Structures are given as C-alpha cells and as structure tokens.
Amino acid sequence: MRMESWDLIIIGAGPAGLTAGIYGARSGLKTLVLEEKTPGGAAAETPLVENYPGFSGGISGRDLVDKMTEHCRKAGAEIRQLERFIELNVKDERRIVKTDRATYSASAVIIASGCHYRELGVPGEKELRGRGVSYCTLCDGPFFKGKKVIVIGGGNAAIVSAIHLANLTSDVKLAHRRSQLRAEEALVKDLHAQKVNVLWNTELKEIRGDVKVKGVVLVNSKTGETREMDVDGVFVQVGEVPNSQIAKEAGVEVDKDGYIIVDSRQRTNLSGVYAAGDVTTSPVKQMGTAVGQAIIAATEAFGYTKQPYYYKA
Ligand code: NAP
C-alpha cells in the first residue's frame, strides 16, 4: 500500500480539528484532517450555541461548524471524511497514521478526536436505543412532537436538550440525581422560563418498553421511593467519554478517565504528537476553549516541523 506523506495530520474534524486545520494550512504545512463521520463533531448536534463569541443571537451548532469546515477547506487543508483512524505509530522518526483506507506518514499529529456520549448502563437502555432512547436531541427531538419525554442529567447538555425539547414536545421532565444543577446560570434561567418540570434527587433505574419506550422507573435518592412514569422518549445527557483509546494504545499518556494529558503548549508525552479539545484534560469543555487549544497545537506543530529560528523546543 502506498504511503502518503503530509506535514501535519489532524485526527477529528470538530471545532478543534477544523481550527487546527485552518492554522496548520495557513502556516504553510501540508495539512490533512481525517474524520470518521462527517465534519462537525458533537458540536454539530447542539441545537443552539449561545455563548460562542460573535453570535449574540445564538447560532445552531450545525451552522457554526459548517462555517468552520468551509474556512478550513478555503485555508488549504484537505478534509477526508468517513475515514476511520485505527492506529498511530510513533516509534519511528515520522508519525505513522493508519486508517481503514490508507497509511499516512506525518511530521506532526494533532489528536482532536473529541468524546462520545456516556451511557447510564441501566436495564432497557441498550435494548431501546433508537426506539425512544436517544443521546442526540437535535437529531431525534422532532420524532417526539406532542409526546412525553424525560431528560436525564444536570449539566449544560441536559439543560440545552430540555429547553430544545420544551419547544417541540407537550411534556418535558428533567431528572437530576442532585438538588442543584451544574449548568451555567443563563441556561438555568432559560430552563425555568420554559415549562420544564425538574425532578430533583432523582435517578433513572430502568427504561421499560417493548418495540418502543413506554416508561421509566425512577428512584428518589433521598427517600428511596420508587415510582414508574409513562414516557415516550428518554434523552440521556450524562456527560461524555473521551475518544482516546487508539492514542492510548500508541503510548500517549491519559488520565484515569481516559483524557489525554497535555501541557500548556498542547504537547503530549510523545514528541510531535499534540492534542486539543474535549479529548484532553482541559477542565473547561467549550467550543471556545477547543478552538484556543487547537491554535496552540497547530502553532506548536508548525514549530516542530519547520524549526523556524524563533521556535523554542
Ligand atoms: P457534564 O457537564 O459532565 O454533566 C453531566 C451531568 O450528568 C452531571 O450533572 C452529572 O451529575 C450527570 N451524570 C453523570 N453520570 C450520571 C449517572 N450515571 N446518572 C445520572 N446522572 C449522571 O456533561 P454534559 O452536560 O454532557 O456536557 C459535556 C461538556 O460539554 C461539559 O463540559 C459542558 O460544559 C459542555 N457543554 C456546554 C454547552 C454550553 O456551553 N452551552 C452545551 C453542552 C455541553 P453530577 O452533577 O451529579 O455529577
């Protein structure tokens, strides 16, 4: 198999990967962005982004990442979609990236592979996935017009989901295992302005149904009381798990939860390998922070590859 040679290969085309693509290509690096699905990442599934600078009226995640994708291509980076990253080999001087279609060599690699949705692990969740159990409100919300749904979680994603569903469905409940939310204040205010009934100290124990979801079993963690509730849909929004397995297998250091450990210059423990965005240990997972980390990573990749006189290793 022929091996293609690139200066910079970026794994993942979410906001971090696309930004790294823009900066890599504009700095003169021959830049390839590899994406397992289509460009956009999880950000594309966010119904409304209200906190990305420059869009005070809000913008849909899809529109925002489409603009980033166009920008990345116009900057000169090549984006290859539907190509799955399967192996990274950093033992040689060049970094070797294998996908399900080809083998590439690169001077530098930026891992921007993001996260996938965390599952609850309760009975019925796997069996009824796609039959009333959903992890993507934007994708599946329209199927629940006029129906009863419950959102599980207490972070920003759960609140954004509940607000979006309140505009589509007849009855939205939000179940959170604590007595307070961890979402940002502006979103919590929006939630309360909508007709969303918050079930505090409530854990989901089981999802019931046959060909589709019919109801849930909930437990009050304070009183131990169990109750059943009829719902048509369950939106699970309980955080994320980093897509770092292949990097880990290549020897990239990750923390106990699997997030890639980077320094303030986005360097991993392996030379020429950088990481940016939600897959890293960065404590704030926002599009803005992912974009900032990607700019640093691409600038470092340029310095490492071209060794300009001002670059300090
Ligand atoms: P998150 O901030 O980690 O929140 C996850 C929520 O799920 C927490 O409230 C957590 O409860 C709960 N949870 C976790 N495991 C659970 C379990 N087994 N059973 C019941 N509840 C469980 O994750 P996220 O909301 O998915 O967001 C992911 C990242 O994207 C965050 O950094 C978030 O800020 C960012 N994001 C930002 C925006 C925005 O700014 N508009 C929108 C979406 C996402 P505890 O609170 O008890 O831990």
Side-chain angles (χ1 to χ4, degrees):
M1 196 190 297
R2 194 173 68 89
M3 188 178 301
E4 284 185 30
S5 178
W6 294 79
D7 292 329
L8 171 62
I9 292 183
I10 298 156
I11 311 294
L18 293 167
T19 303
I22 295 168
Y23 275 74
R26 284 177 57 84
S27 69
L29 296 179
K30 190 180 168 214
T31 300
L32 174 65
V33 184
L34 295 170
E35 168 57 49
E36 177 177 15
K37 297 178 186 155
T38 54
E45 295 177 359
T46 303
L48 188 66
V49 179
E50 288 183 297
N51 54 7
Y52 194 80
F55 298 94
S56 60
I59 180 167
S60 78
R62 178 80 267 162
D63 286 349
L64 185 52
V65 295
D66 282 351
K67 284 178 192 294
M68 291 181 183
T69 305
E70 186 192 1
H71 195 164
C72 184
R73 287 204 172 100
K74 280 193 176 157
E78 180 160 340
I79 303 173
R80 292 190 188 161
Q81 62 181 20
L82 303 174
E83 186 162 344
R84 197 160 56 86
F85 169 51
I86 53 175
E87 193 182 321
L88 172 66
N89 187 334
V90 288
K91 290 188 184 80
D92 304 323
E93 205 175 278
R94 302 270 297 167
R95 270 124 286 275
I96 309 300
V97 172
K98 283 190 186 158
T99 70
D100 54 357
R101 293 212 207 149
T103 301
Y104 305 97
S105 88
S107 163
V109 168
I110 297 175
I111 300 164
S113 46
C115 289
H116 58 273
Y117 300 112
R118 178 181 292 134
E119 294 176 8
L120 277 166
V122 296
E125 184 181 19
K126 272 201 167 43
E127 298 82 341
L128 292 162
R129 188 176 184 144
R131 292 193 278 145
V133 175
S134 170
Y135 301 81
C136 177
T137 315
L138 187 68
C139 326
D140 301 327
F143 297 120
F144 295 88
K145 272 188 187 144
K147 298 198 169 169
K148 270 179 87 167
V149 298
I150 188 164
V151 179
I152 314 296
N156 284 329
I159 309 313
V160 169
S161 277
I163 293 168
H164 183 66
L165 288 164
N167 292 307
L168 288 173
T169 64
S170 63
D171 183 346
V172 183
K173 292 193 171 52
L174 176 81
H176 182 37
R177 62 184 177 184
R178 293 183 197 275
S179 55
Q180 64 185 73
L181 300 165
R182 69 158 71 195
E184 68 177 46
E185 183 68 22
L187 287 174
V188 175
K189 276 192 182 151
D190 281 355
L191 179 81
H192 293 317
Q194 303 282 347
K195 287 177 249 135
V196 177
N197 182 0
V198 182
L199 310 174
W200 300 108
N201 303 309
T202 300
E203 291 176 23
L204 178 71
K205 287 293 176 203
E206 188 182 338
I207 303 171
R208 290 192 173 159
D210 37 47
V211 286
K212 59 186 179 69
V213 166
K214 290 205 169 136
V216 287
V217 179
L218 303 169
V219 174
N220 184 306
S221 53
K222 283 257 158 81
T223 63
E225 182 203 340
T226 299
R227 64 168 158 155
E228 289 188 32
M229 183 183 286
D230 290 346
V231 292
D232 304 296
V234 181
F235 286 82
V236 180
Q237 299 283 315
V238 295
E240 301 175 329
V241 181
N243 298 322
S244 59
Q245 188 56 33
I246 293 161
K248 192 177 155 192
E249 283 163 13
V252 174
E253 256 175 35
V254 299
D255 73 2
K256 66 174 181 25
D257 298 315
Y259 291 97
I260 295 177
I261 298 169
V262 287
D263 66 8
S264 60
R265 289 162 64 178
Q266 303 303 129
R267 294 178 295 194
T268 70
N269 59 310
L270 302 180
S271 75
V273 179
Y274 307 86
D278 288 4
V279 75
T280 71
T281 47
S282 159
V284 180
K285 307 242 184 293
Q286 294 281 305
M287 274 193 244
T289 49
V291 161
Q293 291 160 18
I295 294 169
I296 297 169
T299 306
E300 280 297 322
F302 169 76
Y304 179 83
T305 302
K306 298 290 183 192
Q307 299 283 322
Y309 69 89
Y310 52 84
Y311 176 68
K312 289 191 180 67

